[in-house]
Amino acid sequence: MRIEVAQLEEIPKIVEESLEASSWDLDSFDIKFLGKINLHCEFQKLGEEIVVKTKVFAHQEVRCSRCLDVFHRDIKKEFFLSYSQKTLGKFLVVDEDIREEVLLSWPMKPLCKEDCKGLCPGCGRNLNYENCICSK
Ligand SMILES: [Zn+2]
Ligand SMILES: [Zn+2]
């Protein structure tokens, strides 16, 4: 997403964009983005600053770090980016900063649910669905 700095005013300028998840190359072993990543940005000039209120909507396929089940979830994230006008050239390009913000926001070890029971280290059963058979 690229905006001409001179166009920005105190009245927020809204820009929406949908990206192919693959174009962002966010996929890790445990988290994969599916379909589109939708961005909604409000660019606002506030004195010397450009403030960008950003909303990200996306759909993910996630592998639980405890039971290794794959599940899907929708994610919504909202944050602000700010830039000093002095450091900007003619255009403001926010993609990389949004990408970084989104990447940094995931827990390192995703869980399918708060109290996931995980796999039994003995019999390998998923204890969310099955009973351990080690002692039988
Ligand atoms: Zn789990
Ligand atoms: Zn077991």
Side-chain angles (χ1 to χ4, degrees):
M1 194 180 286
R2 203 169 92 125
I3 292 289
E4 196 174 347
V5 175
Q7 279 187 1
L8 298 176
E9 300 168 15
E10 269 179 51
I11 301 161
K13 182 183 172 67
I14 296 172
V15 183
E16 293 185 314
E17 205 173 291
S18 288
L19 306 165
E20 287 299 332
S22 55
S23 72
W24 255 15
D25 192 24
L26 285 169
D27 298 3
S28 67
F29 176 70
D30 294 324
I31 298 172
K32 195 174 174 181
F33 282 78
L34 301 176
K36 302 262 189 199
I37 296 171
N38 297 302
L39 305 177
H40 174 105
C41 294
E42 296 179 20
F43 294 84
Q44 192 173 17
K45 189 181 272 182
L46 291 174
E48 278 303 300
E49 298 266 291
I50 305 285
V51 176
V52 188
K53 185 179 174 187
T54 306
K55 291 182 197 168
V56 181
F57 305 93
H59 190 70
Q60 293 180 325
E61 187 181 86
V62 184
R63 184 186 298 273
C64 175
S65 62
R66 217 176 267 167
C67 68
L68 307 182
D69 249 10
V70 171
F71 59 100
H72 287 207
R73 68 179 175 192
D74 287 319
I75 60 132
K76 274 185 203 169
K77 199 173 154 48
E78 205 173 319
F79 52 88
F80 288 92
L81 299 168
S82 70
Y83 303 88
S84 163
Q85 276 193 64
K86 287 175 201 145
T87 63
L88 296 174
K90 195 169 181 225
F91 292 98
L92 170 55
V93 182
V94 292
D95 297 55
E96 190 54 34
D97 293 325
I98 293 175
R99 182 177 174 274
E100 216 156 89
E101 193 76 27
V102 169
L103 271 181
L104 290 176
S105 68
W106 310 129
M108 292 301 286
K109 294 185 180 297
L111 292 176
C112 61
K113 55 187 179 195
E114 227 22 72
D115 61 344
C116 170
K117 298 193 183 86
L119 302 177
C120 171
C123 60
R125 291 233 169 164
N126 184 335
L127 302 175
N128 293 312
Y129 310 121
E130 299 173 298
N131 292 322
C132 166
I133 53 166
C134 291
S135 56
K136 283 165 197 162

